[in-house]
Amino acid sequence: MPFSKVEHEHDVFMQQSRVWVFSGAALLSAIAGYVNVVMLGFLPCR
Amino acid sequence: MSGAVAHLGIDLALVSSDDLLLIASIVAGFFGGALLSGLILRDTLFRMKRRYAAMLLVEGGILTATMLLALRGVDFAVPLAAMACGLQNAMASSYRGLTLRTTHVTGVVTDLGALLGNRLRGRQVKGWKFGLLLSILIAFFGGGLAGAFCSVSFRCGLWVLRRHCALCWGL
């Protein structure tokens, strides 16, 4: 698929579902950040 | 991963076998998670919602196991947490062909810098790309901050992982 078509598809998709994608990605990132920090805290107290 | 792989070199040079095994297990765990994601999704394009639901269920299960093991002080919790991160990173990376890396802050900051550079050179850059990358960066920071507060101030960091497992299952 040509790059311009992929870009267009992404634009259309983001227009339709921007809120869902933004909040989903942010939620997953927050979980990842939390897990990273908590597990870093776990290591020194082994 | 960059930090873990770099740490492997230090451990090898210092012949620190305990740390070497643990750090190697983190790399292996992350790789295993990404591998599992590829096996479950089979494709880099979004096709079936059910597959993503299955992935989130698996992630919730891995995080629950991580929490239970970490509360007992078992080291295996560490590679399991890495596995959950690898699974999640690979899952989000394949969402509709969008390159969303929810645990890869280096990549997010790189993309933000490159996009801003393009914008400064006068090229048109989509606003949602900035917004999406910024929201990932801010959310990762916020999650880390919450983790630090829960661990240091309230000493309940591992218990709060339950909420994250529930969140994955709920999604």
Side-chain angles (χ1 to χ4, degrees):
Chain A
M1 192 186 291
F3 184 69
S4 55
K5 197 174 174 192
V6 174
E7 282 269 287
H8 177 68
E9 277 194 8
H10 284 168
D11 285 344
V12 173
F13 173 63
M14 288 306 286
Q15 273 170 11
Q16 291 166 347
S17 334
R18 181 174 299 205
V19 176
W20 287 107
V21 177
F22 271 49
S23 32
L27 210 54
L28 288 174
S29 284
I31 291 175
Y34 186 91
V35 170
N36 265 272
V37 170
V38 168
M39 292 318 286
L40 276 174
F42 168 76
L43 282 175
C45 50
R46 281 183 302 139
Chain B
M1 276 301 97
S2 331
V5 174
H7 207 291
L8 269 182
I10 298 170
D11 288 337
L12 268 177
L14 297 175
V15 201
S16 164
S17 58
D18 280 357
D19 259 10
L20 185 78
L21 276 176
L22 188 70
I23 301 294
S25 75
I26 292 174
V27 178
F30 194 92
F31 177 78
L35 186 83
L36 190 63
S37 166
L39 285 173
I40 296 174
L41 287 177
R42 293 186 210 165
D43 204 338
T44 55
L45 289 173
F46 177 86
R47 291 197 192 262
M48 284 172 68
K49 283 181 184 171
R50 273 183 196 170
R51 290 203 185 283
Y52 286 92
M55 296 278 288
L56 285 168
L57 284 173
V58 171
E59 189 183 340
I62 295 173
L63 284 175
T64 307
T66 302
M67 180 195 70
L68 293 173
L69 290 174
L71 283 170
R72 290 173 190 200
V74 181
D75 282 356
F76 191 63
V78 178
L80 269 185
M83 191 181 209
C85 289
L87 183 95
Q88 180 187 302
N89 208 33
M91 171 186 70
S93 297
S94 64
Y95 189 71
R96 277 226 169 198
L98 289 168
T99 315
L100 293 176
R101 301 199 193 278
T102 51
T103 71
H104 183 44
V105 176
T106 316
V108 170
V109 177
T110 307
D111 289 348
L112 269 173
L115 281 176
L116 190 62
N118 284 340
R119 184 75 191 87
L120 291 174
R121 287 283 293 176
R123 275 193 61 200
Q124 196 182 354
V125 176
K126 305 278 180 348
W128 63 261
K129 286 187 179 174
F130 270 116
L132 191 55
L133 290 168
L134 267 179
S135 69
I136 288 174
L137 185 63
I138 293 167
F140 191 94
F141 174 74
L145 198 65
F149 270 121
C150 288
S151 299
V152 178
S153 305
F154 308 109
R155 306 203 176 278
C156 62
L158 289 169
W159 275 110
V160 178
L161 264 180
R162 278 183 311 175
R163 303 265 179 217
H164 295 85
C165 309
L167 207 60
C168 284
W169 286 333
L171 282 171

